[in-house]
Amino acid sequence: MSSKARSSGFLLTCDASMKQFIIHLNDQKIADKKFILEDLDATHLLIKGEARDEINRKVEDWMDKNVYSTLERVGENLDTS
């Protein structure tokens, strides 16, 4: 048995584009700060537990900047003549 302490983690399920964004976040970290424990398949990652809040925050920021609903565009292209 290894003397290295194991980190608790959580299973993250997401679509492929979100997974690529999370991998990108992980790749920007220095080696000892990386949070992906294992890339399981096309829609699942095993993530260090202590990174959960940071990932949620960064994903929310990314979605706020890049995801638009049809409700936000109501009123565009109105004919005001």
Side-chain angles (χ1 to χ4, degrees):
M1 204 170 182
S2 173
S3 62
K4 184 178 176 185
R6 292 187 175 247
S7 172
S8 65
F10 68 96
L11 179 65
L12 187 141
T13 303
C14 56
D15 64 17
S17 61
M18 183 61 66
K19 181 180 171 193
Q20 289 306 310
F21 175 70
I22 293 168
I23 289 171
H24 169 73
L25 293 175
N26 188 66
D27 289 345
Q28 292 180 324
K29 302 264 185 199
I30 60 174
D32 65 333
K33 300 291 183 186
K34 291 188 183 283
F35 52 78
I36 295 178
L37 297 172
E38 192 163 345
D39 185 345
L40 301 172
D41 61 31
T43 59
H44 295 94
L45 294 166
L46 187 60
I47 303 291
K48 289 181 182 178
E50 67 265 12
R52 186 178 205 153
D53 290 338
E54 175 188 358
I55 294 168
N56 282 336
R57 197 172 47 254
K58 290 190 177 186
V59 166
E60 285 177 14
D61 290 344
W62 180 78
M63 289 182 68
D64 286 345
K65 293 175 186 170
N66 296 295
V67 177
Y68 305 96
S69 72
T70 54
L71 286 177
E72 292 175 39
R73 289 182 268 176
V74 170
E76 288 182 1
N77 302 318
L78 292 177
D79 183 10
T80 57
S81 57

